[in-house]
Amino acid sequence: MKIYNTLTKKKEEFIPLEEGKVKMYVCGPTVYNYIHIGNARPIIIFDTVRRYFEYKGYDVNFVSNFTDVDDKIIKKAIDEGKTAAEISERYIREFNKDVEGLNVEPATRNPKATEEIDGMVEMIAALIEKGHAYEKNGTVYFRTRSFPDYGKLSKKNIDDLEAGIRIAVNEDKEDPMDFVLWKPKKEGEPFWESPWSEGRPGWHIECSVMSKKYLGEEIDIHAGGEDLIFPHHENEIAQSEACNGKEFARYWMHNGFLNIDNKKMSKSTGNFFTVRDISQSYDLQVLRFFMLSAHYRSPINFNRDLMEASKNALDRIQTAAANLEHLIDTAGKIECEMVSGLSTGGSQALSKEEEELLKESAKLQEKFEAAMEDDFNTADAVSAIFELVKLSNTYGTKESSPAFLKELLDRITLLCGVLGIKALKKEELLDEEIEQLIKERQEARKQKDFKRSDEIRNLLLEKGILLEDTREGVRWKRA
Ligand code: AMP
Ligand code: ZN
């Protein structure tokens, strides 16, 4: 399996640190708002990477953090008259709903920064002890020049970087390139005790600490969006390697950016969608399918036409799967009738032609694998699935044997499943059942049983039913 490694700028054969295991860390969101569709890209991509490893039989330890202390969270808390913890908890809940809709496997662990402060204080103290960090007026800085490999990931030269810094803003820093590990609190901010000041950690240290705690000093893959290469990942490497004296991560994977209508996504120009916005008009499976239609390292352009195209493409797969399922059901019934002597025709055994066609379909599975093994080329992997769909549509008929139909259906659902795509839609709910569940949800909300009301909302979402709370009451529609 080949992975493009940002560290070496080459596609490299994947060799795990420990046979059969993958230790993977993906930098997670800062939880101060609903995630936007740009944030969804790394979530979907690295979930697909994980799923492919699992398909290959690897045991994947997948850790992704929540940054739940940060200026933006604090600002939102002040604006809304809430605590920072209330804000972050709310958006972690909302995040979980979105990723469920996107069919993302739950991480092995989702550590939260605020629950790992002790570990951060410990690592900062170790860095000071080793001469890689220093304290000035309650702030602790990383001594960037003490780490000779600084810049190895982003291919930046520390002297060039320094030349680019025009003003020495901070008198306390020994060197303009030094970055903050710990900072004293400001009035009204959440804070923790430390040997240096009552304060809070800088952003970069949390990932070094959580990755070490949950995966060990050396891991296989560290991933995130390409904007994280510098300074976030560069600083993580400096902290971890200076502290542990070991290579932090073997493979660094970064996804390209998502643009909207060929422009950078930006809230101020209205060029911005949350995953929740999209879920009002589409099943989130469509968004997932859309993300997989391009190579993860290339930029991807989002617009309504492309989403419609993804919806139609996904529909083609799901229709083929539903047809196969229907044919299998009918064939099953014919067989029962045959057993009871009521019918003739339809055979259990594979015909010669079917055997040949199944060999062809197995080759398409190999084609799918070859695409995925070439640095997770999901676009080509999806093409292989479409070839399989075409084969099924052409040769899966009432006359086919159930074994043939079943093998085709299993192969389509298996390969779609590797991409996190559900080939078989869940059974549809009847209108009355939906109304009944909505009533139950209203009742639960009245009783302040938000757990139940969320459960119902998610259940409906899973069945493709979107709810909208309006002043006139709850409206619903099918995705
Ligand atoms: P943030 O919450 O801004 O730290 O972002 C969380 C993740 O989303 C990081 O891995 C970012 O690199 C990624 N990300 C943010 N914006 C985009 C975008 N427009 N396209 C792709 N990835 C993005
Ligand atoms: Zn990180």
Side-chain angles (χ1 to χ4, degrees), residues 35-311:
I35 52 165
H36 58 64
I37 54 174
N39 300 141
R41 194 173 191 198
I43 294 169
I44 293 166
I45 294 301
F46 298 117
D47 177 59
T48 307
V49 167
R50 170 199 186 167
R51 284 171 180 269
Y52 189 72
F53 276 119
E54 286 174 345
Y55 164 76
K56 295 291 285 181
Y58 285 95
D59 174 10
V60 184
N61 193 346
F62 188 100
V63 175
S64 188
N65 63 308
F66 287 125
T67 300
D68 62 346
V69 55
D70 164 272
D71 289 343
K72 292 185 223 118
I73 300 173
I74 295 168
K75 182 175 180 307
K76 185 137 192 165
I78 294 167
D79 290 350
E80 291 193 14
K82 297 255 174 357
T83 64
E86 280 169 327
I87 297 294
S88 59
E89 275 162 28
R90 181 201 304 162
Y91 289 109
I92 287 174
R93 271 200 307 277
E94 300 302 339
F95 172 90
N96 286 334
K97 287 182 209 161
D98 285 340
V99 295
E100 196 180 322
L102 292 166
N103 197 24
V104 172
E105 273 189 62
T108 315
R109 258 172 205 283
N110 283 126
K112 297 182 198 145
T114 54
E115 292 173 4
E116 307 290 342
I117 305 284
D118 288 353
M120 296 189 224
V121 169
E122 215 174 280
M123 187 178 270
I124 296 169
L127 285 168
I128 295 177
E129 174 78 28
K130 289 175 193 239
H132 291 293
Y134 57 94
E135 184 259 342
K136 262 287 170 62
N137 297 325
T139 302
V140 183
Y141 298 97
F142 186 87
R143 189 175 274 127
T144 304
R145 284 190 184 271
S146 73
F147 182 67
D149 278 347
Y150 194 81
K152 71 175 172 179
L153 182 71
S154 54
K155 316 293 170 214
K156 290 182 193 288
N157 175 293
I158 196 163
D159 294 321
D160 295 345
L161 283 168
E162 194 144 310
I165 301 176
R166 290 197 197 116
I167 337 154
V169 202
N170 192 329
E171 301 281 300
D172 285 345
K173 280 191 191 180
E174 287 177 2
D175 186 294
M177 284 309 298
D178 295 348
F179 58 89
V180 171
L181 298 176
W182 185 268
K183 56 187 166 196
K185 67 174 181 193
K186 291 199 198 106
E187 196 49 44
E189 285 185 353
F191 65 90
W192 290 264
E193 300 291 333
S194 83
W196 317 290
S197 57
E198 288 182 336
R200 61 187 165 103
W203 170 37
H204 315 297
I205 194 75
E206 71 181 77
C207 292
S208 286
V209 168
M210 297 187 213
S211 179
K212 178 173 174 174
K213 177 164 173 190
Y214 296 108
L215 297 171
E217 289 179 347
E218 290 175 285
I219 70 168
D220 295 293
I221 299 174
H222 196 113
E226 66 184 9
D227 58 323
L228 299 185
I229 298 174
F230 187 86
H232 185 53
H233 286 164
E234 197 68 72
N235 291 357
E236 282 186 34
I237 292 178
Q239 296 162 159
S240 294
E241 298 192 0
C243 179
N244 307 328
K246 292 195 180 131
E247 187 179 29
F248 181 33
R250 286 229 180 145
Y251 303 88
W252 288 84
M253 295 181 73
H254 294 99
N255 64 272
F257 254 44
L258 175 139
N259 298 315
I260 298 183
D261 283 325
N262 291 312
K263 286 184 221 86
K264 192 169 179 259
M265 182 153 65
S266 147
K267 228 177 199 169
S268 54
T269 58
N271 202 26
F272 180 92
F273 297 105
T274 62
V275 169
R276 201 57 63 87
D277 294 334
I278 300 303
S279 77
Q280 300 301 313
S281 354
Y282 293 96
D283 182 337
L284 289 178
Q285 282 276 291
V286 178
L287 184 60
R288 180 164 186 130
F289 192 81
F290 162 79
M291 295 286 185
L292 298 171
S293 63
H295 192 274
Y296 75 91
R297 281 191 287 120
S298 314
I300 190 170
N301 189 41
F302 177 94
N303 63 39
R304 290 278 161 182
D305 289 349
L306 292 168
M307 277 297 277
E308 280 301 309
S310 296
K311 182 170 185 271

Side-chain angles (χ1 to χ4, degrees), residues 29 205 338 386:
I205 194 75
M338 275 169 64
F386 273 112

Side-chain angles (χ1 to χ4, degrees), residues 36 74 101 110 125 152 335-336 341 344 353 424 433 444 456 472:
H36 58 64
I74 295 168
N110 283 126
K152 71 175 172 179
E335 253 169 50
C336 287
T344 53
E353 192 201 5
L424 283 170
E433 291 175 301
I456 295 174
E472 288 79 40

